[in-house]
């Protein structure tokens, strides 16, 4: 061996590709996010600081758009309509969806029944979104099924005004986004080792303590995920408020209105505020419920 | 001494197919170290969970300290349990894991602090209060689980396979600790294991289980020296088993026909057996002698040495007699002679050292020969 160099295996092209393949895996997603999210978002934020935006480009740097928004007497109502209603819808979705997920995981023994129920939950999603939006009229309208039934049963004398008001959002959004709450909660609940729950039982925990100290606590990552899904979806939906909420103003709706009238900078400023507050709320949510600590 | 636990014909089904507990009837004295031993799937874990109240039973009776447990939820039973795989609460540190039960019992803060500290000291984990379960080794987790179950001071402590999943050294240490803790606290311990050595060395009382039925209950030495069934004999200690048929009785001495020729036995309490009965003829490996010593024995067999296993303090030889009958012989290391593989040696044992077992196991309808040679 003296004088000879140690033999080395030659790396071929395939080996080199394999070595860097994890970066290749990231590439398509990264390009997509860059082209359709990061660049447009920076453009929107940029435009929001100008007086006008024409074919020639932005004109006159200003903070006026923001000042106008935050000094308008309308603003608190709009913010409440936007973020308050979305958060309320999240809460209602949680109250409806979590017990269902819990039931599926802990009370439905057979995997087949479980699959069947989950499939049933998916059925509404096979119907086109626009059809589902319009279908609320025959259900919640003045002479819709709900009012008709309640009046027939003598529960109410006058039809309830379920549509064309804020309350409509608290019915329609939870129905629409229920699955976004059920699925992550369901997955988080299935991940809990049944023996951990058993351990709590034999360590003298009464049923409500078993639930709050162990089961619910360990499913929190899923609940937080569900909250984020529903919150973001409701926030981005301006059609439902426009159609069924009786002309209330939300940030999303304002953006659509100003954009439709080509008042780009103001629409951009509203969008930026929407994104900023949404991020702030998510940040606070994740700070209160430390998701890194949740996923041990 | 009172009874900590009594069961009468306990039955537990899983679905319609699996009968996990088949009319299990036994009782346990208060303060006993009771070990349930059996292969996996024999129902020992199910039995513990039924006692703890995690699982409901289908019929029969279960009394803890004389109180009927039908419909009593786990948290109202004077029992705590260390589950297999420890099942520590992953979102709580060691202190909070151990304190959990005490908090549920509504003890005040200073008391909890003191008792948790004491329990952690008892299991040798003082100083690790702030660690999360994920930051612990397997052995440490086991100790946390033990401390957590112990600290609420139940009259019955259930330990489901506490010695599996850890290495040998740790097993030994935990066994010593368990025995010492049991002596100190004086509660009733019920422990399950599939390892016979653990059963023999830990237990005041051993119960051998087999697919939902009890094979035998007794002191470890009773079960070892006088197994009730072939299954129990095989599950507690090493044993040589030969299928045999009784030929004749001469006084207290019984002559039997086996595959390796005529053998003699001097069984106690077996006078009910008569000529023609099929039994299992059994002899423990440490009772068999080799060579010169064998010449003076009542039973003598020529056999070929086919393999050996060295265990440190003793050597186990495997001989083959006749066509296929294996005979194991264990010899203390200091008495080991110079034997060569493939050579023929004379093996011998006394009639008084042989056992006759007439029952294959407690499950009805099984043929004794099948049970002897089945596995």
């Amino acid at each position: 061996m003296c004088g000879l160099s140690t033999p080395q295996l030659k790396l071929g092209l395939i080996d080199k590709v394999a070595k860097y393949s994890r970066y290749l895996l990231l590439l398509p997603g990264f390009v997509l996010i860059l082209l359709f999210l990061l660049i447009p978002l920076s453009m929107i934020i940029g435009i929001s600081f100008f007086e006008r935006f024409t074919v020639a480009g932005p004109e006159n740097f200003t903070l006026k758009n923001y000042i106008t928004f935050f000094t308008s007497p309308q603003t608190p109502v709009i913010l409440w309509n936007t973020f308050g209603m979305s958060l309320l819808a999240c809460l209602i979705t949680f109250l409806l969806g979590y017990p269902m997920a819990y039931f599926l995981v802990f009370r439905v023994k057979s995997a087949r029944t479980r699959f069947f129920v989950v499939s049933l939950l998916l059925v509404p999603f096979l119907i086109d979104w626009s059809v589902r939006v319009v279908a609320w009229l025959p259900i919640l309208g003045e002479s819709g099924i709900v009012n008709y039934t309640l009046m027939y049963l003598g529960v109410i004398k006058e039809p309830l005004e379920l549509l064309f008001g804020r309350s409509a959002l608290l019915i329609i959004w939870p129905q629409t986004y229920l699955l976004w709450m059920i699925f992550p909660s369901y997955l988080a609940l299935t991940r809990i080792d049944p023996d951990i729950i058993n351990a709590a039982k034999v360590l003298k925990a009464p049923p409500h303590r078993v639930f709050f100290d162990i089961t619910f606590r360990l499913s929190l990552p899923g609940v937080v995920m569900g909250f984020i899904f529903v919150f973001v979806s409701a926030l981005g939906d301006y059609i439902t408020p426009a159609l069924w909420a009786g002309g209330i103003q939300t940030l999303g709706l304002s953006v659509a209105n100003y954009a439709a009238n080509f008042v780009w900078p103001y629409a951009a400023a509203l969008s930026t505020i929407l994104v900023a507050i949404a991020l702030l709320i998510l940040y606070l949510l994740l700070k209160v419920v430390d998701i890194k600590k949740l996923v041990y | 001494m009172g009874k900590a636990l009594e069961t009468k014909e306990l039955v537990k089904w899983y679905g319609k197919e699996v009968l996990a507990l088949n009319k299990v009837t036994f009782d346990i004295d208060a303060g006993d170290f009771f070990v349930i031993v059996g292969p996996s799937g024999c129902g020992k874990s199910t039995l513990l969970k039924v006692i703890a109240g995690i699982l409901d039973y289908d019929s029969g009776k279960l009394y803890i300290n004389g109180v009927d447990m039908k419909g009593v939820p786990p948290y109202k039973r004077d029992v705590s349990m260390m589950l297999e795989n420890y099942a520590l609460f992953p979102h709580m540190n060691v202190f909070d894991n151990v304190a959990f039960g005490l908090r549920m019992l509504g003890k005040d803060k200073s008391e909890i602090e003191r008792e948790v500290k004491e329990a952690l000291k008892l299991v040798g984990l003082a100083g690790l209060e702030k660690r999360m379960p994920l930051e612990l080794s397997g052995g440490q987790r086991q100790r946390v689980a033990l401390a957590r179950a112990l600290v609420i001071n139940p009259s019955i402590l259930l330990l489901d396979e506490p010695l599996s999943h850890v290495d040998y050294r740790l097993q030994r240490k935990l066994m010593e600790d368990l025995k010492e803790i049991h002596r100190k606290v004086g509660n009733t311990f019920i422990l399950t294991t599939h390892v016979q050595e653990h059963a023999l060395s830990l237990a005041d009382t051993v119960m051998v289980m087999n697919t939902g039925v009890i094979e035998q209950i007794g002191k470890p030495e009773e079960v070892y020296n006088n197994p009730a069934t072939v299954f129990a004999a095989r599950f507690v200690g090493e044993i040589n088993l030969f299928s045999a048929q009784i030929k004749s009785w001469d006084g207290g001495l019984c002559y039997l026909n086996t595959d390796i020729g005529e053998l003699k036995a001097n069984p106690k309490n077996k006078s009910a057996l008569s000529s023609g009965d099929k039994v299992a003829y059994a002899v423990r490996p440490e009772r068999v002698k080799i060579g010169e010593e064998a010449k003076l024995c009542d039973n003598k067999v020529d056999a070929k040495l086919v393999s050996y296993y060295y265990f440190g303090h003793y050597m186990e030889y495997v001989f083959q007699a006749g066509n296929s009958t294996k005979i194991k012989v264990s010899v203390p290391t200091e008495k080991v002679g110079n034997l060569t593989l493939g050579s023929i040696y004379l093996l011998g044992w006394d009639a008084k050292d042989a056992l006759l077992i007439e029952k294959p196991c407690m499950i009805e309808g099984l043929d004794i020969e099948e049970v002897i040679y089945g596995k």
Side-chain angles (χ1 to χ4, degrees), chain A residues 195-196 198-199 203-205 207 209 213-214 217-218 296, chain B residues 49 54 74-75 77 79 83 87 89 91 101 104 134 148:
Chain A
D195 268 349
I196 289 179
N198 286 337
L203 292 170
K204 306 287 160 247
R209 296 300 298 267
D213 290 31
I214 307 297
R217 177 58 185 70
L218 290 178
Y296 329 103
Chain B
K49 285 186 172 172
I54 296 168
Y75 76 101
R77 299 186 182 200
V79 164
L83 290 126
F89 305 127
H91 55 303
M104 293 302 136
L134 264 186
R148 191 174 71 167

PDB file of all heavy atoms in Angstrom, chain A residues 195-196 198-199 203-205 207 209 213-214 217-218 296, chain B residues 49 54 74-75 77 79 83 87 89 91 101 104 134 148:
ATOM      1  N   ASP A 195     -53.840   4.604  27.577  1.00  0.00           N
ATOM      2  CA  ASP A 195     -53.338   4.288  28.913  1.00  0.00           C
ATOM      3  C   ASP A 195     -52.996   5.547  29.714  1.00  0.00           C
ATOM      4  O   ASP A 195     -52.972   5.504  30.947  1.00  0.00           O
ATOM      5  CB  ASP A 195     -52.115   3.361  28.825  1.00  0.00           C
ATOM      6  CG  ASP A 195     -52.542   1.900  28.898  1.00  0.00           C
ATOM      7  OD1 ASP A 195     -53.721   1.649  29.226  1.00  0.00           O
ATOM      8  OD2 ASP A 195     -51.714   1.026  28.622  1.00  0.00           O
ATOM      9  N   ILE A 196     -52.737   6.654  29.034  1.00  0.00           N
ATOM     10  CA  ILE A 196     -52.490   7.904  29.766  1.00  0.00           C
ATOM     11  C   ILE A 196     -53.791   8.344  30.427  1.00  0.00           C
ATOM     12  O   ILE A 196     -53.807   8.780  31.581  1.00  0.00           O
ATOM     13  CB  ILE A 196     -51.932   8.978  28.814  1.00  0.00           C
ATOM     14  CG1 ILE A 196     -50.501   8.614  28.436  1.00  0.00           C
ATOM     15  CG2 ILE A 196     -51.987  10.356  29.456  1.00  0.00           C
ATOM     16  CD1 ILE A 196     -49.849   9.561  27.483  1.00  0.00           C
ATOM     17  N   ASN A 198     -56.214   6.229  31.180  1.00  0.00           N
ATOM     18  CA  ASN A 198     -56.422   5.230  32.230  1.00  0.00           C
ATOM     19  C   ASN A 198     -55.612   5.560  33.476  1.00  0.00           C
ATOM     20  O   ASN A 198     -56.083   5.387  34.599  1.00  0.00           O
ATOM     21  CB  ASN A 198     -56.027   3.837  31.724  1.00  0.00           C
ATOM     22  CG  ASN A 198     -57.047   3.289  30.751  1.00  0.00           C
ATOM     23  OD1 ASN A 198     -58.199   3.699  30.758  1.00  0.00           O
ATOM     24  ND2 ASN A 198     -56.621   2.366  29.900  1.00  0.00           N
ATOM     25  N   ALA A 199     -54.373   6.016  33.251  1.00  0.00           N
ATOM     26  CA  ALA A 199     -53.514   6.354  34.387  1.00  0.00           C
ATOM     27  C   ALA A 199     -54.169   7.444  35.225  1.00  0.00           C
ATOM     28  O   ALA A 199     -54.177   7.367  36.455  1.00  0.00           O
ATOM     29  CB  ALA A 199     -52.140   6.802  33.902  1.00  0.00           C
ATOM     30  N   LEU A 203     -55.400   7.160  39.106  1.00  0.00           N
ATOM     31  CA  LEU A 203     -54.767   8.070  40.061  1.00  0.00           C
ATOM     32  C   LEU A 203     -55.802   9.027  40.644  1.00  0.00           C
ATOM     33  O   LEU A 203     -55.503  10.156  40.978  1.00  0.00           O
ATOM     34  CB  LEU A 203     -53.620   8.832  39.403  1.00  0.00           C
ATOM     35  CG  LEU A 203     -52.429   7.949  39.034  1.00  0.00           C
ATOM     36  CD1 LEU A 203     -51.439   8.696  38.184  1.00  0.00           C
ATOM     37  CD2 LEU A 203     -51.753   7.405  40.284  1.00  0.00           C
ATOM     38  N   LYS A 204     -57.005   8.540  40.738  1.00  0.00           N
ATOM     39  CA  LYS A 204     -58.056   9.188  41.535  1.00  0.00           C
ATOM     40  C   LYS A 204     -58.676  10.428  40.891  1.00  0.00           C
ATOM     41  O   LYS A 204     -59.304  11.228  41.574  1.00  0.00           O
ATOM     42  CB  LYS A 204     -57.529   9.575  42.931  1.00  0.00           C
ATOM     43  CG  LYS A 204     -56.917   8.421  43.693  1.00  0.00           C
ATOM     44  CD  LYS A 204     -57.981   7.474  44.189  1.00  0.00           C
ATOM     45  CE  LYS A 204     -57.430   6.109  44.510  1.00  0.00           C
ATOM     46  NZ  LYS A 204     -57.918   5.086  43.601  1.00  0.00           N
ATOM     47  N   ALA A 205     -58.500  10.593  39.579  1.00  0.00           N
ATOM     48  CA  ALA A 205     -59.112  11.749  38.936  1.00  0.00           C
ATOM     49  C   ALA A 205     -60.572  11.447  38.612  1.00  0.00           C
ATOM     50  O   ALA A 205     -60.859  10.468  37.928  1.00  0.00           O
ATOM     51  CB  ALA A 205     -58.359  12.104  37.667  1.00  0.00           C
ATOM     52  N   PRO A 207     -64.133  12.055  36.571  1.00  0.00           N
ATOM     53  CA  PRO A 207     -64.260  12.213  35.116  1.00  0.00           C
ATOM     54  C   PRO A 207     -63.949  13.618  34.587  1.00  0.00           C
ATOM     55  O   PRO A 207     -63.258  13.745  33.574  1.00  0.00           O
ATOM     56  CB  PRO A 207     -65.716  11.833  34.858  1.00  0.00           C
ATOM     57  CG  PRO A 207     -66.054  10.903  35.956  1.00  0.00           C
ATOM     58  CD  PRO A 207     -65.269  11.343  37.145  1.00  0.00           C
ATOM     59  N   ARG A 209     -62.035  15.924  35.813  1.00  0.00           N
ATOM     60  CA  ARG A 209     -60.596  16.231  35.883  1.00  0.00           C
ATOM     61  C   ARG A 209     -59.834  15.437  34.842  1.00  0.00           C
ATOM     62  O   ARG A 209     -58.871  15.920  34.262  1.00  0.00           O
ATOM     63  CB  ARG A 209     -60.029  15.926  37.282  1.00  0.00           C
ATOM     64  CG  ARG A 209     -60.600  16.784  38.392  1.00  0.00           C
ATOM     65  CD  ARG A 209     -60.355  18.259  38.185  1.00  0.00           C
ATOM     66  NE  ARG A 209     -58.965  18.669  38.158  1.00  0.00           N
ATOM     67  CZ  ARG A 209     -58.276  19.100  39.213  1.00  0.00           C
ATOM     68  NH1 ARG A 209     -58.843  19.143  40.395  1.00  0.00           N
ATOM     69  NH2 ARG A 209     -57.036  19.490  39.097  1.00  0.00           N
ATOM     70  N   ASP A 213     -57.796  17.972  32.665  1.00  0.00           N
ATOM     71  CA  ASP A 213     -56.360  17.926  32.951  1.00  0.00           C
ATOM     72  C   ASP A 213     -55.593  17.090  31.938  1.00  0.00           C
ATOM     73  O   ASP A 213     -54.410  17.330  31.722  1.00  0.00           O
ATOM     74  CB  ASP A 213     -56.110  17.347  34.357  1.00  0.00           C
ATOM     75  CG  ASP A 213     -56.551  18.306  35.443  1.00  0.00           C
ATOM     76  OD1 ASP A 213     -57.500  19.060  35.198  1.00  0.00           O
ATOM     77  OD2 ASP A 213     -55.952  18.303  36.529  1.00  0.00           O
ATOM     78  N   ILE A 214     -56.248  16.093  31.356  1.00  0.00           N
ATOM     79  CA  ILE A 214     -55.504  15.170  30.498  1.00  0.00           C
ATOM     80  C   ILE A 214     -56.021  15.211  29.059  1.00  0.00           C
ATOM     81  O   ILE A 214     -55.324  15.695  28.158  1.00  0.00           O
ATOM     82  CB  ILE A 214     -55.591  13.717  31.038  1.00  0.00           C
ATOM     83  CG1 ILE A 214     -55.169  13.671  32.513  1.00  0.00           C
ATOM     84  CG2 ILE A 214     -54.760  12.784  30.187  1.00  0.00           C
ATOM     85  CD1 ILE A 214     -53.741  14.075  32.793  1.00  0.00           C
ATOM     86  N   ARG A 217     -56.384  18.782  27.497  1.00  0.00           N
ATOM     87  CA  ARG A 217     -55.066  19.399  27.491  1.00  0.00           C
ATOM     88  C   ARG A 217     -54.174  18.783  26.407  1.00  0.00           C
ATOM     89  O   ARG A 217     -53.469  19.501  25.698  1.00  0.00           O
ATOM     90  CB  ARG A 217     -54.434  19.228  28.870  1.00  0.00           C
ATOM     91  CG  ARG A 217     -53.039  19.759  29.023  1.00  0.00           C
ATOM     92  CD  ARG A 217     -52.974  21.238  28.706  1.00  0.00           C
ATOM     93  NE  ARG A 217     -51.602  21.698  28.743  1.00  0.00           N
ATOM     94  CZ  ARG A 217     -50.687  21.368  27.852  1.00  0.00           C
ATOM     95  NH1 ARG A 217     -51.008  20.582  26.854  1.00  0.00           N
ATOM     96  NH2 ARG A 217     -49.454  21.813  27.963  1.00  0.00           N
ATOM     97  N   LEU A 218     -54.236  17.461  26.268  1.00  0.00           N
ATOM     98  CA  LEU A 218     -53.369  16.807  25.290  1.00  0.00           C
ATOM     99  C   LEU A 218     -53.883  16.979  23.861  1.00  0.00           C
ATOM    100  O   LEU A 218     -53.146  16.760  22.907  1.00  0.00           O
ATOM    101  CB  LEU A 218     -53.219  15.312  25.628  1.00  0.00           C
ATOM    102  CG  LEU A 218     -52.407  15.008  26.885  1.00  0.00           C
ATOM    103  CD1 LEU A 218     -52.369  13.515  27.152  1.00  0.00           C
ATOM    104  CD2 LEU A 218     -50.993  15.545  26.771  1.00  0.00           C
ATOM    105  N   TYR A 296     -44.849  17.810  22.297  1.00  0.00           N
ATOM    106  CA  TYR A 296     -43.722  17.545  23.195  1.00  0.00           C
ATOM    107  C   TYR A 296     -42.494  17.129  22.433  1.00  0.00           C
ATOM    108  O   TYR A 296     -42.537  16.187  21.719  1.00  0.00           O
ATOM    109  CB  TYR A 296     -44.111  16.444  24.191  1.00  0.00           C
ATOM    110  CG  TYR A 296     -45.541  16.501  24.476  1.00  0.00           C
ATOM    111  CD1 TYR A 296     -46.414  15.610  23.907  1.00  0.00           C
ATOM    112  CD2 TYR A 296     -46.042  17.548  25.218  1.00  0.00           C
ATOM    113  CE1 TYR A 296     -47.757  15.733  24.100  1.00  0.00           C
ATOM    114  CE2 TYR A 296     -47.380  17.659  25.421  1.00  0.00           C
ATOM    115  CZ  TYR A 296     -48.242  16.747  24.860  1.00  0.00           C
ATOM    116  OH  TYR A 296     -49.584  16.864  25.044  1.00  0.00           O
TER     117      TYR A 296
ATOM    118  N   LYS B  49     -56.715  -4.597  35.111  1.00  0.00           N
ATOM    119  CA  LYS B  49     -57.547  -3.463  34.698  1.00  0.00           C
ATOM    120  C   LYS B  49     -58.963  -3.594  35.226  1.00  0.00           C
ATOM    121  O   LYS B  49     -59.611  -2.593  35.526  1.00  0.00           O
ATOM    122  CB  LYS B  49     -57.546  -3.344  33.165  1.00  0.00           C
ATOM    123  CG  LYS B  49     -56.225  -2.772  32.660  1.00  0.00           C
ATOM    124  CD  LYS B  49     -56.222  -2.500  31.177  1.00  0.00           C
ATOM    125  CE  LYS B  49     -54.944  -1.749  30.812  1.00  0.00           C
ATOM    126  NZ  LYS B  49     -54.752  -1.601  29.379  1.00  0.00           N
ATOM    127  N   ILE B  54     -60.737   0.125  35.305  1.00  0.00           N
ATOM    128  CA  ILE B  54     -60.605   0.689  33.954  1.00  0.00           C
ATOM    129  C   ILE B  54     -61.480  -0.108  32.991  1.00  0.00           C
ATOM    130  O   ILE B  54     -62.074   0.430  32.068  1.00  0.00           O
ATOM    131  CB  ILE B  54     -59.135   0.644  33.484  1.00  0.00           C
ATOM    132  CG1 ILE B  54     -58.266   1.517  34.372  1.00  0.00           C
ATOM    133  CG2 ILE B  54     -59.018   1.090  32.031  1.00  0.00           C
ATOM    134  CD1 ILE B  54     -56.796   1.290  34.149  1.00  0.00           C
ATOM    135  N   PRO B  74     -63.168   3.978  38.852  1.00  0.00           N
ATOM    136  CA  PRO B  74     -61.795   3.791  39.325  1.00  0.00           C
ATOM    137  C   PRO B  74     -61.401   4.762  40.444  1.00  0.00           C
ATOM    138  O   PRO B  74     -60.747   4.366  41.394  1.00  0.00           O
ATOM    139  CB  PRO B  74     -60.942   4.050  38.087  1.00  0.00           C
ATOM    140  CG  PRO B  74     -61.844   3.961  36.926  1.00  0.00           C
ATOM    141  CD  PRO B  74     -63.239   4.119  37.395  1.00  0.00           C
ATOM    142  N   TYR B  75     -61.829   6.029  40.316  1.00  0.00           N
ATOM    143  CA  TYR B  75     -61.326   7.003  41.293  1.00  0.00           C
ATOM    144  C   TYR B  75     -61.929   6.826  42.675  1.00  0.00           C
ATOM    145  O   TYR B  75     -61.469   7.437  43.628  1.00  0.00           O
ATOM    146  CB  TYR B  75     -61.523   8.435  40.777  1.00  0.00           C
ATOM    147  CG  TYR B  75     -62.925   8.991  40.834  1.00  0.00           C
ATOM    148  CD1 TYR B  75     -63.298   9.876  41.847  1.00  0.00           C
ATOM    149  CD2 TYR B  75     -63.876   8.654  39.877  1.00  0.00           C
ATOM    150  CE1 TYR B  75     -64.568  10.406  41.899  1.00  0.00           C
ATOM    151  CE2 TYR B  75     -65.148   9.182  39.917  1.00  0.00           C
ATOM    152  CZ  TYR B  75     -65.500  10.057  40.941  1.00  0.00           C
ATOM    153  OH  TYR B  75     -66.753  10.576  40.982  1.00  0.00           O
ATOM    154  N   ARG B  77     -62.114   3.750  44.000  1.00  0.00           N
ATOM    155  CA  ARG B  77     -61.599   2.488  44.527  1.00  0.00           C
ATOM    156  C   ARG B  77     -60.307   2.744  45.296  1.00  0.00           C
ATOM    157  O   ARG B  77     -59.532   3.614  44.920  1.00  0.00           O
ATOM    158  CB  ARG B  77     -61.320   1.510  43.382  1.00  0.00           C
ATOM    159  CG  ARG B  77     -62.574   1.187  42.601  1.00  0.00           C
ATOM    160  CD  ARG B  77     -62.316   0.107  41.576  1.00  0.00           C
ATOM    161  NE  ARG B  77     -63.556  -0.121  40.833  1.00  0.00           N
ATOM    162  CZ  ARG B  77     -63.816  -1.216  40.137  1.00  0.00           C
ATOM    163  NH1 ARG B  77     -62.920  -2.178  40.063  1.00  0.00           N
ATOM    164  NH2 ARG B  77     -64.957  -1.354  39.497  1.00  0.00           N
ATOM    165  N   VAL B  79     -57.423   1.743  45.253  1.00  0.00           N
ATOM    166  CA  VAL B  79     -56.475   0.998  44.434  1.00  0.00           C
ATOM    167  C   VAL B  79     -55.704   2.008  43.611  1.00  0.00           C
ATOM    168  O   VAL B  79     -56.240   3.047  43.256  1.00  0.00           O
ATOM    169  CB  VAL B  79     -57.275   0.083  43.466  1.00  0.00           C
ATOM    170  CG1 VAL B  79     -56.402  -0.421  42.344  1.00  0.00           C
ATOM    171  CG2 VAL B  79     -57.891  -1.091  44.207  1.00  0.00           C
ATOM    172  N   LEU B  83     -49.274   1.340  35.102  1.00  0.00           N
ATOM    173  CA  LEU B  83     -49.611   0.678  33.845  1.00  0.00           C
ATOM    174  C   LEU B  83     -48.363   0.249  33.088  1.00  0.00           C
ATOM    175  O   LEU B  83     -47.288   0.822  33.269  1.00  0.00           O
ATOM    176  CB  LEU B  83     -50.432   1.623  32.970  1.00  0.00           C
ATOM    177  CG  LEU B  83     -51.836   1.880  33.493  1.00  0.00           C
ATOM    178  CD1 LEU B  83     -52.081   3.354  33.618  1.00  0.00           C
ATOM    179  CD2 LEU B  83     -52.864   1.241  32.611  1.00  0.00           C
ATOM    180  N   ALA B  87     -47.090   5.139  30.938  1.00  0.00           N
ATOM    181  CA  ALA B  87     -48.144   6.121  30.687  1.00  0.00           C
ATOM    182  C   ALA B  87     -47.979   7.383  31.523  1.00  0.00           C
ATOM    183  O   ALA B  87     -48.912   7.848  32.158  1.00  0.00           O
ATOM    184  CB  ALA B  87     -49.525   5.495  30.924  1.00  0.00           C
ATOM    185  N   PHE B  89     -47.762  11.347  32.217  1.00  0.00           N
ATOM    186  CA  PHE B  89     -48.424  12.467  31.554  1.00  0.00           C
ATOM    187  C   PHE B  89     -47.355  13.292  30.850  1.00  0.00           C
ATOM    188  O   PHE B  89     -46.514  13.894  31.507  1.00  0.00           O
ATOM    189  CB  PHE B  89     -49.199  13.311  32.560  1.00  0.00           C
ATOM    190  CG  PHE B  89     -50.179  12.504  33.369  1.00  0.00           C
ATOM    191  CD1 PHE B  89     -50.183  12.553  34.743  1.00  0.00           C
ATOM    192  CD2 PHE B  89     -51.092  11.667  32.730  1.00  0.00           C
ATOM    193  CE1 PHE B  89     -51.077  11.793  35.483  1.00  0.00           C
ATOM    194  CE2 PHE B  89     -51.989  10.913  33.455  1.00  0.00           C
ATOM    195  CZ  PHE B  89     -51.978  10.972  34.835  1.00  0.00           C
ATOM    196  N   HIS B  91     -47.227  16.074  29.412  1.00  0.00           N
ATOM    197  CA  HIS B  91     -47.183  17.528  29.542  1.00  0.00           C
ATOM    198  C   HIS B  91     -46.866  17.975  30.961  1.00  0.00           C
ATOM    199  O   HIS B  91     -46.937  19.154  31.272  1.00  0.00           O
ATOM    200  CB  HIS B  91     -48.514  18.126  29.094  1.00  0.00           C
ATOM    201  CG  HIS B  91     -49.709  17.564  29.817  1.00  0.00           C
ATOM    202  ND1 HIS B  91     -50.005  16.228  29.840  1.00  0.00           N
ATOM    203  CD2 HIS B  91     -50.660  18.163  30.550  1.00  0.00           C
ATOM    204  CE1 HIS B  91     -51.107  16.031  30.550  1.00  0.00           C
ATOM    205  NE2 HIS B  91     -51.519  17.191  30.994  1.00  0.00           N
ATOM    206  N   GLY B 101     -52.040  12.459  41.622  1.00  0.00           N
ATOM    207  CA  GLY B 101     -53.002  11.719  42.434  1.00  0.00           C
ATOM    208  C   GLY B 101     -53.321  12.431  43.744  1.00  0.00           C
ATOM    209  O   GLY B 101     -54.467  12.478  44.181  1.00  0.00           O
ATOM    210  N   MET B 104     -55.635  15.223  43.156  1.00  0.00           N
ATOM    211  CA  MET B 104     -56.990  14.733  42.929  1.00  0.00           C
ATOM    212  C   MET B 104     -57.659  14.372  44.254  1.00  0.00           C
ATOM    213  O   MET B 104     -58.864  14.465  44.393  1.00  0.00           O
ATOM    214  CB  MET B 104     -56.972  13.499  42.021  1.00  0.00           C
ATOM    215  CG  MET B 104     -56.534  13.793  40.610  1.00  0.00           C
ATOM    216  SD  MET B 104     -57.585  15.012  39.822  1.00  0.00           S
ATOM    217  CE  MET B 104     -56.376  16.047  39.021  1.00  0.00           C
ATOM    218  N   LEU B 134     -40.030  13.143  28.657  1.00  0.00           N
ATOM    219  CA  LEU B 134     -39.194  12.879  27.476  1.00  0.00           C
ATOM    220  C   LEU B 134     -37.708  12.984  27.774  1.00  0.00           C
ATOM    221  O   LEU B 134     -36.880  12.487  27.028  1.00  0.00           O
ATOM    222  CB  LEU B 134     -39.547  13.859  26.354  1.00  0.00           C
ATOM    223  CG  LEU B 134     -40.527  13.364  25.307  1.00  0.00           C
ATOM    224  CD1 LEU B 134     -40.664  14.365  24.186  1.00  0.00           C
ATOM    225  CD2 LEU B 134     -40.079  12.012  24.741  1.00  0.00           C
ATOM    226  N   ARG B 148     -45.560   7.529  41.376  1.00  0.00           N
ATOM    227  CA  ARG B 148     -46.856   8.143  41.143  1.00  0.00           C
ATOM    228  C   ARG B 148     -47.989   7.251  41.669  1.00  0.00           C
ATOM    229  O   ARG B 148     -48.981   7.719  42.216  1.00  0.00           O
ATOM    230  CB  ARG B 148     -47.009   8.345  39.627  1.00  0.00           C
ATOM    231  CG  ARG B 148     -48.150   9.177  39.197  1.00  0.00           C
ATOM    232  CD  ARG B 148     -48.097   9.404  37.709  1.00  0.00           C
ATOM    233  NE  ARG B 148     -48.406   8.197  36.959  1.00  0.00           N
ATOM    234  CZ  ARG B 148     -48.673   8.166  35.660  1.00  0.00           C
ATOM    235  NH1 ARG B 148     -48.637   9.274  34.961  1.00  0.00           N
ATOM    236  NH2 ARG B 148     -48.945   7.042  35.047  1.00  0.00           N
TER     237      ARG B 148
END
